[in-house]
Amino acid sequence: MVLNWTPEVIVDFIVAISGFVLTIITYIKPKTKKITTLIYIRLAILGFSIFLFIDGLSLLYVSKVLSIISGFTLIPLTLSLVIGITYILKENFYSLGFVIVIGLSILFIYIGFQPNAVDIQIQGGYIRLPWTGLFNDIGIILIAISEAYMLYWGIKTLKNAPFLIKKEAYLFFLGIFFASVVAMVFYILYLIDPYYILMSNFALLIGLLIVTLSAIIEPKLLYILPFTVYRIVVKDREGYPLFDHDWSKSEISENIFTGFINAIQLMSEEIMNMGGLLDINLKDGILILHESENISVGLITSKSSKLLRYSVANFTLDFENKFEKILKEGNKDMREYESAHELIEKYFSNFPSRIISHKRKPLLLTEKILKLPLTLDTALKTIFKDEKEYDFIKSEIYRTPESTAAGFISLYNELKKEFDDIDNEYEKN
Amino acid sequence: MSNLNLTLSLTLNHPSVQSVIEIAKEVIDNNNVLDTELLYNLTKRRLKLPRKGLLSIIQFLINKKVLVEGSKYTRDEVLENKYRFNLYRFLTFNLGVHFSTIKKQIVTDSSGNLGSSGQLIWHLEMLIKFNYIKKIKIKNYTVFLPYEIDDEIGLIHFVLRDEIYLKIIQLLISNETLKKSEVHKLVNEKREIIYYRLNNLIEFTIIELSGDNNTLIINSQKKDDIISIIKMYPQNKSQINKLTYNNE
């Protein structure tokens, strides 16, 4: 049998292989595997690769059956993408897009079994198997829905990407743009001139390669969810802080946060009976609390989610196990618990840090790190015996014009003398 | 440096972290505005660290609150400190108060504690630096006034806070003229106390001696100001109310 090797077949196979690689990367790279969203998006990428692979095979063997089967693979592809992206937004499968795809899919399968769904033609000097009639129309609509959802995903990712991975997010979006917009434009042109199918596939290939590359560089891109995780705090049973980690600045005040954790600790037995997990709706976010034998873990986030509750519960369990010995000893030294960062990486690596809100946001070093000139430092230490007060003034000095500290010392001496003089005067009187 | 598995191994003592802190210090010491971009660019150029590792260090320093968001104070931000805001408000509502009075009145926390003099003077200096207040020297006293208040008006306020000065001036307003030698009888105070104050009032050009050098009259140019300021105060009572301020 003579194989029908055409440029389209080769491009189909290359794009399919890239898709398989991306599928594997999205499985291997992330530390947390059981993320529903990612499972569906991975399925969509796999479906897309299978679609192109079977499409390539159908051309290679000039098989109408394979061409129809490749068409059918559009159904799981589109469905997975729609479900995955809907899930990103609301942790739910159902959406208008889902209903439309299901309806179209039933029709698509029915038409696929009708005669003449696929034709064999010579186009541009090569044998091709174009879909025809309604089978072709619905196929195009399903592809268009996939492309639209993909573009939406790209935009959402770019928009929600924090500063630290913004550069990679742009790269990722460029890939998505090629694979969706550019590929779709060429696909529409293909309806006029079959030559453009090659361009469309090339655009897909380039897009997919860029997406794969950016996902390799920064796997967090695949997990950019439309909610923000602010902070996690671990406290012991007496309320002493053992560990904390910030992802982002929260509007929830430290007092409210600590207050809630302390309050929960008081009613811990009831909470334990409820399974140890509690969501508290605050004005500016959600506090997910988890109570275990030795610790209370509080996580502040912009909205609650199954994934977060799962992560908090497992983090708590691992924290208990990892530090069991020192927890039982009642060790309260936060330095001893610093290695809990590993657990943050394990359970929360998907949530990108937004702690640097903007690259031009001014920064200051905290007073503990900064060193003042020796004379000034000695003078300040003489004036401020209280360490807290001294640290406060030090932090202020770094935020004031250069001469403020000198001005302060001179005013201090002047007023001190005045105060003494007035005291003496009163005594005399 | 090349193999920076930073998320797991970063500590404040990590040499790369220390180098980044040193560069940040240098920027601040040179009075430049430090931001992530500048710190990143400088560090990248000097330490040749990989992008991701470097960003992780900066993120780590922010997470550990070694680097905090903030900049040099602007005029508006100066009053964001509650102690300073209340101090400024106190000086605005109690014109002409001098340092020792402020020190006795300003309470730094809800328990009624008086803060240290150092802290109070620091905040006064900050308010001066950012042109919220100014200081004027009146005899031995340093008086703090809102920046926009005229020195002369500040002086009158300062004087009228003293009950003896106030009595003398009220007598002069109601009688137009007074014999210098009789004032102490009218006020019912020792002669030397009254003479000291009269001399001060003359020095402040609030009152004047008429031709015979024994008759006192109020400076006509300041009379209206003095009368309106007296009207502002509760009758013959101490004008300062102790306010409870939270030091935050």
Side-chain angles (χ1 to χ4, degrees), chain A residues 101-164:
Chain A
V101 173
I102 291 284
L104 285 174
S105 301
I106 295 166
L107 194 60
F108 193 54
I109 293 168
Y110 172 75
I111 297 166
F113 286 108
Q114 302 307 307
N116 302 323
V118 177
D119 199 8
I120 298 174
Q121 292 176 7
I122 304 284
Q123 289 179 340
Y126 297 104
I127 300 169
R128 294 200 70 251
L129 288 95
W131 300 340
T132 57
L134 205 52
F135 188 71
N136 183 45
D137 296 343
I138 297 174
I140 291 174
I141 293 171
L142 287 176
I143 291 172
I145 290 174
S146 305
E147 308 278 15
Y149 266 84
M150 215 151 77
L151 184 64
Y152 183 64
W153 179 37
I155 292 169
K156 206 80 194 164
T157 303
L158 182 63
K159 202 177 153 206
N160 287 305
F163 162 71
L164 281 178

Side-chain angles (χ1 to χ4, degrees), chain A residues 420-429, chain B residues 140 190:
Chain A
D420 294 343
D421 289 349
I422 292 167
D423 275 355
N424 292 337
E425 202 174 302
Y426 280 132
E427 274 172 26
K428 271 184 205 167
N429 286 336
Chain B
N140 288 333
K190 285 182 190 167

